[in-house]
Every structure is written in structure tokens, then in C-alpha cells.
Amino acid sequence: MAPFDSAGAFLMMATLLPVKLLLVGLLAHGVVGSPGPSSNTGMVANAVLEDPEFTDVIENITVPAGRNVKLACSVKNLGSYKVAWMHFEQSAILTVHNHVITRNPRISVTHDKHDKHKTWFLHITNVQEEDKGRYMCQINTVTAKTQFGYLHVVVPPNIDDSVSSSDVIVREGANVTLRCKATGSPPPSIKWKRDDNTKIAITRNNIVLEWEGDVLTLSRVSRYDMGAYLCIATNGVPPSVSKRIKVSVDFPPMLWIPHQLVGIPVGYNVTLECNIEAHPTSLNYWTRENDQMIHDSQKYKTETVPGNPSYKSVMRLHIGEVQHSDYGIYKCIAKNPRGETDGSIRLYSSSPPTTIPPSTTESITTTVPSTRVYESPYGLSTMSVNHFDKGIRYQSDYNQVDRSEHKSSDTSPNRDRSVDESNEVNGATKSFIRWTTVFALMLHIFLPLNQ
């Protein structure tokens, strides 16, 4: 029987489709011809021909979406029989011989006429996920010959923003649930981690570096949970994708003061500090005890220095050349939409610090008395001896002396008086040293003579 002499012979091969549908498709493309000769000569000629056979299996192929793919079906002894390609899952005839039956513009067919074992290639361009499945190659013999190959389409993960969480703001102490949904083939897995690689506090007793699953729930969040969280989707098909979700935790301002009592002499500069934690960022300012706000001026300078993490900051008030009128209470105040707070610092007068003067300036010498015991013909006797330590600052009963040594030489009256007093002390000290030395020598000379 000649090929396609009976439409039913080919329809037996295409068991996937209704008979009428396949027949209409074949007739429309001129694939099914009119019945061939039925003479005994033709029947004998057909009897001596070998039946067509597949010479190789159809390889299973895995391809990323968007690539092009080619499926091969190799046949020998095809003769006048036809080769058809079908998509098994879609129950669709794709090609018959050189004709493309499907309306899918991404499908085409070619074959190698010069190959001894003719190979029919099914081409699919820009492969999509719906193209995956079993592809069937058939030869329209009386008993249809069929073989299958599988096309596996892998798709990189993609996070669906429409069903995933976006940035969230929550009050401290509340619970937070973050969701991340992703598509891909094979289905991607989801894991969570913090953007700064710190640990995730699921609960107080469950702290992890990473969390797996579509949903991340944080119980009773605190300011320490604030930051960016990464939802990472992977399925073995590059590239992996991630979504950054920022969690903001709101709370009223809190502050602490390193030094609530600050002593400073008149004429010195001083800086007052308050440490603040607040989110959202607080409005910060300083006042005196009369609630009068302090503004930047030649005397005052205010600043707020951002810290790390971002909800921390430091308030500073710089006061230049403190005067008696500057002593008193200073308040640092912080306000945000969640509340406000304040703290107080007391600035009081103190004596200037004492320092060792440089070697280029005249140093004051002080004496430290001690007692030594000497043996004499009249028994044990004692004599007070003074040790002299240089470099110890002379302390006057008057604050002007110390203050004058911190000022430059052109603030002269107090400075001159300090130098005069130093000269008087040095003269008395030198005189005392001379008499003590003479007395010691006399002891060493006369004591041996008496013995």
C-alpha cells in the first residue's frame, strides 16, 4: 500500500488527536495524496522494500528559557513515508514532512537530504516554559512507529513583587511578617538574611544567621531588629535574585548623659554632650534653665553628629570662653512623632588644672622635710634635712597666681607678681641650702676630733 493511500493508516499513528482534526490538517497542506496504484506490480514492489526504522533515540534536552533548541529524529529506509513531529502534552501536530502545521511562529522543521540516515530537525526558537514536555516523532507506516524525547525548560527565579512584602514601618514591641514569593522552574527556594550579615532574632530564644521559607515572622521587634532584610530566591538556574526589604522600627527618643556635672574655670572653652536614640530622627535643641532656646552665635555652637546604627546620634553644645554668667543648668531636648525627652547638665566653676611648666620657663622649687639620726658624743641627736624636688608647681594661696601662668605674657600684672614671688622663694631656699651644708660639714670635721 502506497503512503497515505488510506488516510486512516496515518490517523492510526496520531492517536492523540481526533480523526477529523488530523485529516483536515493534512488535506489543507496537501500532505495526504490520492490513492496510489493498486496493481499487483505495485504491491510486489512494495513488498520487497525494507520498513523504515529509527537509527537513534531522541535526546532529552534541558534548556534555559529564552534560548533556541533543536530536536533530532533520524530515520533510515524512509522511502516515500513521512515523518511527523507532535507535542504530546498539548496534543498538537507541529510538522509533517516539510510542512509546519502549527501556527506557532517559533516552530520550524528542516532535514538533511544528503544524509544516508535522514535526520529531521524540529527547531524551537526563544524557548518558553510552556514548551516543556514530551515531543513525539512518528513514521506513517501501517503500524505507526513512534519515539519520544523530553524537553525540560528551566527558568531562573523571579520574585513576584505584587505578592511580596515591601518596606515596612512598625512600632517597637509589635510583630512583623515579611513575605517573599518567587516563580521559576524548578520551583525556587527562599532564604532570608540581614543585609549587614548580623543575626535574625525570630524570637528572644531563636536567633539565626539565615531563615528558610517564604515567610519571615519577627516577634516583638526592637530597635536592634531595624535594618534591611534580603529575600534570596535560588533554583540552581543562574542568576539568583534577591529583594531588599527595609524594616523601620519607630520609638520615642531616649537619651543618656555621660557627664551630668561639668566643672570648668572662667575663660576656658567647654563642650557638653547628650547621647540620643530615636526613630524617626528627632528634632534636637538646647536650652538654659529658663527654657530659653540656645541658638548658634559667636559664643555658642550646636551640632548633632549621626551615629551607627542610624537611630543613634550625639548632641553637642560648644561654649567659648566661659564666664560666671554661663554657669548653671543646660538642657538637651529631643522630640519626634513618637514622643519627647530631655536631660540636664550642670556647669559649675572649678580651679584651673595644674601642669608642669615647660623646661624653657622658670620652675619653682619646693622642699620636702625629713629627719635623719646622727650619733654624737652626747648620745643620739636628730637633725632636720630638706630634700629638694624640682618641677613641682608652686601653689599660691591666691587663685591669681595659677590663673596667671595659663595666660600669655602680655597679661602682665599678675604674671609679674607670680615671677617676683617665685624669686623670693628661690632666694630663701638657696640661703637655707648654704647654712645646712655648712652645718653638715662642721659635724663631719668636729665629731672625729672629739672621739
Side-chain angles (χ1 to χ4, degrees):
M1 181 175 62
F4 296 99
D5 282 351
S6 172
F10 188 82
L11 293 174
M12 291 175 62
M13 300 184 292
T15 56
L16 302 175
L17 296 175
V19 173
K20 290 183 179 180
L21 178 60
L22 180 59
L23 182 59
V24 171
L26 297 177
L27 288 173
H29 291 81
V31 174
V32 179
S34 58
S38 57
S39 63
N40 293 336
T41 306
M43 295 176 62
V44 173
N46 284 335
V48 298
L49 294 177
E50 295 183 16
D51 286 341
E53 293 180 1
F54 295 110
T55 60
D56 203 355
V57 297
I58 301 174
E59 293 184 358
N60 296 330
I61 297 177
T62 299
V63 62
R67 301 284 184 86
N68 300 333
V69 70
K70 180 171 66 174
L71 301 174
C73 181
S74 298
V75 181
K76 71 176 181 178
N77 303 324
L78 182 61
S80 57
Y81 291 100
K82 308 294 182 184
V83 173
W85 280 100
M86 304 176 189
H87 194 296
F88 187 84
E89 279 75 19
Q90 295 179 0
S91 301
I93 299 176
L94 303 178
T95 66
V96 176
H97 200 56
N98 293 326
H99 300 280
V100 177
I101 307 302
T102 181
R103 293 183 178 180
N104 188 339
R106 297 183 293 108
I107 302 294
S108 61
V109 64
T110 61
H111 74 283
D112 186 355
K113 298 179 181 179
H114 304 289
D115 189 1
K116 180 180 179 181
H117 303 297
K118 292 186 177 181
T119 303
W120 297 80
F121 296 103
L122 178 69
H123 300 269
I124 308 174
T125 60
N126 189 23
V127 171
Q128 302 299 311
E129 188 175 5
E130 60 265 23
D131 295 327
K132 67 181 180 181
R134 286 177 290 177
Y135 285 80
M136 181 170 64
C137 178
Q138 278 193 349
I139 306 173
N140 67 326
T141 53
V142 176
T143 302
K145 294 188 176 183
T146 303
Q147 67 172 354
F148 292 90
Y150 193 88
L151 177 63
H152 183 57
V153 180
V154 294
V155 181
N158 180 61
I159 295 176
D160 189 348
D161 288 333
S162 64
V163 291
S164 298
S165 299
S166 55
D167 293 349
V168 60
I169 300 175
V170 64
R171 297 201 69 164
E172 195 167 38
N175 298 334
V176 174
T177 298
L178 304 180
R179 292 180 172 85
C180 185
K181 301 293 183 181
T183 58
S185 181
S189 60
I190 304 294
K191 70 177 180 180
W192 298 83
K193 63 186 301 185
R194 297 191 68 167
D195 195 20
D196 58 2
N197 289 321
T198 56
K199 291 186 177 181
I200 301 173
I202 306 299
T203 63
R204 290 186 178 181
N205 299 322
N206 186 12
I207 300 175
V208 297
L209 190 59
E210 292 183 353
W211 180 262
E212 293 187 2
D214 295 352
V215 178
L216 173 65
T217 300
L218 307 176
S219 301
R220 297 182 60 83
V221 295
S222 72
R223 65 199 67 183
Y224 306 110
D225 300 313
M226 189 184 311
Y229 291 76
L230 295 178
C231 152
I232 305 171
T234 58
N235 65 350
V237 182
S240 299
V241 293
S242 64
K243 178 179 175 68
R244 190 174 185 267
I245 303 174
K246 185 177 180 181
V247 175
S248 298
V249 180
D250 284 0
F251 57 92
M254 297 177 61
L255 63 83
W256 69 97
I257 300 171
H259 305 288
Q260 291 184 306
L261 295 174
V262 179
I264 194 73
V266 171
Y268 283 77
N269 301 331
V270 68
T271 298
L272 309 182
E273 284 190 356
C274 291
N275 296 317
I276 298 176
E277 291 186 5
H279 194 272
T281 303
S282 57
L283 172 66
N284 307 321
Y285 60 94
W286 294 84
T287 67
R288 293 295 301 268
E289 57 263 40
N290 57 3
D291 293 332
Q292 181 180 359
M293 185 182 296
I294 297 175
H295 300 282
D296 283 0
S297 63
Q298 187 174 0
K299 185 173 192 62
Y300 298 111
K301 181 182 178 183
T302 62
E303 63 174 339
T304 299
V305 181
N308 187 25
S310 59
Y311 59 80
K312 291 186 176 183
S313 60
V314 179
M315 289 177 61
R316 292 195 178 117
L317 172 64
H318 304 284
I319 307 174
E321 296 186 1
V322 171
Q323 302 301 317
H324 288 288
S325 59
D326 296 320
Y327 296 127
I329 301 297
Y330 290 81
K331 283 187 178 181
C332 51
I333 302 173
K335 296 181 179 181
N336 75 359
R338 299 301 184 189
E340 67 177 272
T341 188
D342 62 69
S344 298
I345 300 175
R346 181 179 184 84
L347 186 66
Y348 66 92
S349 175
S350 67
S351 299
T354 58
T355 58
I356 299 176
S359 58
T360 55
T361 61
E362 183 179 0
S363 62
I364 307 302
T365 303
T366 61
T367 63
V368 181
S370 64
T371 302
R372 289 185 181 177
V373 179
Y374 291 89
E375 185 178 358
S376 68
Y378 309 103
L380 295 177
S381 62
T382 61
M383 179 183 69
S384 295
V385 179
N386 290 308
H387 299 287
F388 301 95
D389 297 329
K390 293 188 176 181
I392 300 176
R393 188 182 191 84
Y394 173 71
Q395 298 290 338
S396 170
D397 290 336
Y398 299 97
N399 288 335
Q400 287 97 345
V401 176
D402 273 344
R403 190 174 302 118
S404 67
E405 298 205 9
H406 286 280
K407 297 182 180 179
S408 59
S409 58
D410 46 351
T411 59
S412 55
N414 289 334
R415 176 66 177 173
D416 294 339
R417 184 174 60 184
S418 174
V419 173
D420 291 339
E421 290 176 1
S422 299
N423 290 336
E424 291 175 5
V425 172
N426 283 337
T429 302
K430 292 176 181 178
S431 177
F432 181 78
I433 292 172
R434 285 196 300 269
W435 284 109
T436 302
T437 304
V438 171
F439 183 72
L441 289 174
M442 291 175 66
L443 285 177
H444 284 285
I445 292 172
F446 290 107
L447 284 179
L449 294 177
N450 294 331
Q451 293 175 356

